[in-house]
Amino acid sequence: MGHWFSRNIVEPGKLPMLLALTSFVVTFLVTRAVTRLIRAGKGPFKNVSSGGLHIHHVVPGVVLTVLGGFGAVGSDRHGVGGAVFAVVFGIGAGLVLDEFALILHLDDVYWSDEGRKSVEVVVLTASLVLLALSGFSPLGVDDMSSGERQDRVAFILTLVVNFLFILITLVKGKFRMAVIGTLVPFVAIVGAVRLARPGSWWSRRFYGRRHRARARSRIRTYRHDKRWTRIRRRFQDLIGGFQERVPGRGSDSTPS
């Protein structure tokens, strides 16, 4: 095990990425646990305030992310400094993305349905970093031979084609698939060739007079959301605690 870790993680310089991912996930889970205890009125934890102003944990998160990011850029991947700044960056990123929905909506939506976006973004980020750590890279560059790397024309053409698929997937309203497509080659082609989601730019631009396409798009989206939304919400509830009851409140989606 030690030999495998040294050969696959330490020698390629992936240790800072592993440390950043680990601290990112641990920070997010610990932060969620603490905020759930504060919301339930349990434990010694309290909200941080200064002069009546509630200090969200995204604030120290931004500071740590900037500090860790610049420190990591200026450090050696194989040195102690790179490892330390990677941990600092991971902690900061965990604090920031835990309140991603607050940044997106510019409102305290931490415990509302809009707040579920934070959990979704954290899970997606951790999954993509894990893929990169395990060896995946955009367009499979790591899998190319030295001869294939010399064929720059083919590489650039492949890059452009994959980017076009990603762009089409985005304007069709399929954000998750587009993000995964940036890391795993040509995954975005599935989203690019299938019907756009209702309300997306593609749907408004090209389905205006295509009534059958709009109807099929709504039906497919309804079936997809019906199949996966319930599973996704249960997973988000398990991690984020959105459905936990708060003492003195009848609704569990009310922002705290």
Side-chain angles (χ1 to χ4, degrees):
M1 179 64 181
H3 177 68
W4 178 91
F5 183 83
S6 177
R7 181 165 54 88
N8 293 278
I9 300 297
V10 178
E11 292 179 5
K14 293 182 179 180
L15 182 58
M17 183 183 293
L18 176 62
L19 292 173
L21 175 61
T22 302
S23 59
F24 170 76
V25 174
V26 170
T27 298
F28 169 74
L29 294 177
V30 170
T31 302
R32 277 284 158 176
V34 171
T35 54
R36 290 163 77 170
L37 289 173
I38 294 174
R39 188 185 187 211
K42 300 178 182 179
F45 306 104
K46 302 293 181 182
N47 287 322
V48 179
S49 301
S50 176
L53 176 66
H54 173 58
I55 307 298
H56 291 271
H57 49 267
V58 67
V59 177
V62 169
V63 175
L64 292 175
T65 301
V66 172
L67 179 63
F70 278 107
V73 169
S75 302
D76 183 7
R77 289 190 302 170
H78 297 274
V80 177
V84 172
F85 282 116
V87 172
V88 173
F89 176 81
I91 295 173
L95 293 173
V96 170
L97 292 188
D98 184 51
E99 293 201 307
F100 172 82
L102 181 148
I103 301 173
L104 179 65
H105 294 278
L106 294 179
D107 193 12
D108 191 358
V109 294
Y110 194 82
W111 294 115
S112 67
D113 275 346
E114 289 84 355
R116 294 175 182 274
K117 292 184 178 68
S118 297
V119 176
E120 188 172 339
V121 167
V122 167
V123 172
L124 182 60
T125 301
S127 300
L128 292 176
V129 175
L130 187 61
L131 279 174
L133 189 63
S134 63
F136 283 96
S137 61
L139 303 176
V141 175
D142 286 348
D143 299 328
M144 296 175 65
S145 66
S146 58
E148 290 173 325
R149 289 195 184 96
Q150 295 175 0
D151 191 354
R152 299 299 182 184
V153 176
F155 171 73
I156 293 176
L157 180 61
T158 305
L159 181 66
V160 171
V161 171
N162 192 60
F163 175 76
L164 290 176
F165 285 137
I166 293 170
L167 184 61
I168 293 173
T169 302
L170 275 175
V171 298
K172 283 191 172 184
K174 304 173 182 181
F175 174 75
R176 300 182 193 90
M177 187 169 290
V179 172
I180 296 174
T182 63
L183 197 67
V184 183
F186 296 112
V187 166
I189 192 173
V190 179
V193 300
R194 293 178 65 84
L195 288 171
R197 291 182 65 90
S200 65
W201 180 89
W202 189 280
S203 178
R204 297 193 303 269
R205 178 66 176 81
F206 295 105
Y207 297 168
R209 299 181 180 179
R210 298 174 57 189
H211 304 294
R212 292 183 60 185
R214 291 206 311 271
R216 289 169 56 204
S217 173
R218 293 193 187 97
I219 293 173
R220 287 189 178 182
T221 301
Y222 171 77
R223 290 174 177 173
H224 176 274
D225 292 345
K226 184 178 180 181
R227 182 185 304 118
W228 295 106
T229 299
R230 182 179 300 178
I231 298 174
R232 187 169 65 249
R233 288 175 70 90
R234 286 180 178 177
F235 179 69
Q236 292 169 351
D237 291 342
L238 177 65
I239 298 177
F242 294 100
Q243 297 301 319
E244 293 175 354
R245 292 193 174 277
V246 182
R249 293 182 183 171
S251 172
D252 31 67
S253 61
T254 304
S256 59

